[in-house]
Amino acid sequence: MSFDRHLSRRSFLSFSALTAASALTGCASSANTVTSGDTTIIYRSPMRLFQSPAASSVPSGPELAVMYGPVEDGGFLIPAVPYEQIDPRYYRQRVVDPTGQPPGTIVVDTPSRFLYLVQADGMAMRYGVGIGREGFAWQGSGVIQWRQKWPRWKPPNEMVARQPELVKYSIDNGGMEPGLKNPLGARALYIFSNGEDTLYRLHGNPDWRSIGKAVSSGCVRLMNQDIIDLYDRVPTKAPIVVLQ
C-alpha cells in the first residue's frame, strides 16, 4: 500500500444513506452525440477492446480485507466495501499491460469497465469502474489537469436545468460540500482536452454496486478505496485515453 490506512471499529453511516448520494449524477451532460475538437460524447454497444490479461497475483481474502476495509481519510470514515459481493475481476490488481500505451498513461476500457494505469515494467494496475449510461459516455484523449481530495460537487448548469432540485448545489451556489454523500467521493481527477475542461472526471463513489455498470452521467467512477489508491499513483498532467 502506498499510504497508511487506519482501521476503525466505530459505527458507519448506513449504506442506504450513501447510495442515495450516488444516485445524484456528478458530471457533464449532453445530447446523444456532440463533437467539439477531439472531444466526442457518444455511446456504443459493448464490445471487447482488449483481451482480459491475467493478474500477476490475484488478491487473496486477507489482502482484500485490507484493500477494501474501512479507511479514515481527511476527517471522514469510509465504510468497508463488501468485496465478496463484487465480481472478482473488478478487484484492484496488477496485470500484464494490454494497452500498449506509454508508462504513466491512464486507459479507460469503457466496454469492459476497466481502468488501467500503465506501469514501466510491462504491467498495469487495473481497477473496476462504473461508466456513463447511454447518451452520456465520453471518449477521447487528454490529461489529468487537476486533482482534488474530497472535492466539492458542482453540477453543470445543463444538469441543474434538467433537475431543478439540484439548484442548491449549482456552480453559483458553491456546490455540494465534501463528504461521504458527495457524488464525487474521496477524490476527483479532472480530465482536460485541448486545454479545456471536458467536465468529465475520474472519481470515487460510495455505491460499490455501480462498479461494472453504466449508470453515471458520463464520468468514470471507482470505489472510494480504489480512487484513493489511483490518486496516490497518478501525478497531475498524466495522459489519459478513454476508449469506447
Side-chain angles (χ1 to χ4, degrees), residues 147-214:
R147 309 181 312 145
Q148 185 67 38
K149 295 182 178 181
W150 294 103
R152 298 185 74 87
W153 177 55
K154 299 178 181 179
N157 292 333
E158 295 89 343
M159 181 179 291
V160 174
R162 293 196 316 272
Q163 300 174 259
E165 69 275 12
L166 300 181
V167 67
K168 60 183 176 180
Y169 304 128
S170 68
I171 296 171
D172 290 341
N173 287 328
M176 178 188 285
E177 64 183 16
L180 295 176
K181 296 183 179 181
N182 188 301
L184 293 183
R187 302 286 190 274
L189 285 70
Y190 297 75
I191 303 173
F192 279 55
S193 184
N194 291 330
E196 297 184 356
D197 187 357
T198 65
L199 302 181
Y200 292 88
R201 322 293 186 218
L202 310 179
H203 66 88
N205 193 271
D207 185 6
W208 51 268
R209 287 190 174 93
S210 67
I211 300 305
K213 299 176 182 177

